[in-house]
Amino acid sequence: MDADKVFKALGDPTRRKLLDLLHDRNGQTLGELCEHLDMARQSVTQHIGLLEAANLVTTVWRGREKLHFINPVPLHEVYERWVRKFEHQRLTLLHDLKKELEGE
């Protein structure tokens, strides 16, 4: 995983919206995605390109249609590397606090 590319891709609200759209209905064409955004098709294509470079979006050709699918694996890797370890510490502290307050 190239974490820099993933964080760069997630750093833009338009790209996050594209991921939300694909989460809601996976396998959309560029035209379908453009319907929900107030920008030129070329701009959406550039955003999709950055999501593909970060491996957050994959594409499949179905006849003449290019379908876009969300790839959750890089997000899971970011969670495992950057979120989970902090979550563990927080939960341990809450558990210890609970035990202290309850006199265990």
Side-chain angles (χ1 to χ4, degrees):
M1 175 187 76
D2 187 342
D4 291 340
K5 287 182 181 180
V6 173
F7 282 112
K8 179 180 179 180
L10 294 175
D12 182 86
T14 298
R15 291 190 285 275
R16 291 191 304 269
K17 177 160 179 125
L18 285 165
L19 291 174
D20 287 338
L21 291 169
L22 290 173
H23 177 266
D24 292 342
R25 191 169 66 81
N26 221 359
Q28 295 185 59
T29 65
L30 181 63
E32 291 170 327
L33 293 168
C34 287
E35 291 174 6
H36 303 281
L37 300 169
D38 187 27
M39 62 178 49
R41 186 178 177 97
Q42 184 178 1
S43 298
V44 176
T45 301
Q46 290 175 344
H47 284 292
I48 291 285
L50 284 168
L51 290 169
E52 286 178 312
N55 200 26
L56 291 166
V57 168
T58 59
T59 58
V60 174
W61 285 93
R62 185 181 68 194
R64 294 171 56 170
E65 288 184 319
K66 184 178 181 182
L67 303 177
H68 300 84
F69 294 88
I70 193 168
N71 178 15
V73 173
L75 293 173
H76 181 72
E77 291 173 349
V78 165
Y79 170 80
E80 287 294 322
R81 170 68 175 92
W82 295 100
V83 177
R84 189 173 189 195
K85 65 182 174 185
F86 299 108
E87 189 176 80
H88 175 73
Q89 180 183 10
R90 181 179 56 93
L91 292 174
T92 301
L93 290 172
L94 287 174
H95 175 74
D96 293 346
L97 178 63
K98 178 184 180 281
K99 285 175 68 175
E100 185 176 320
L101 291 174
E102 293 176 352
E104 292 181 20

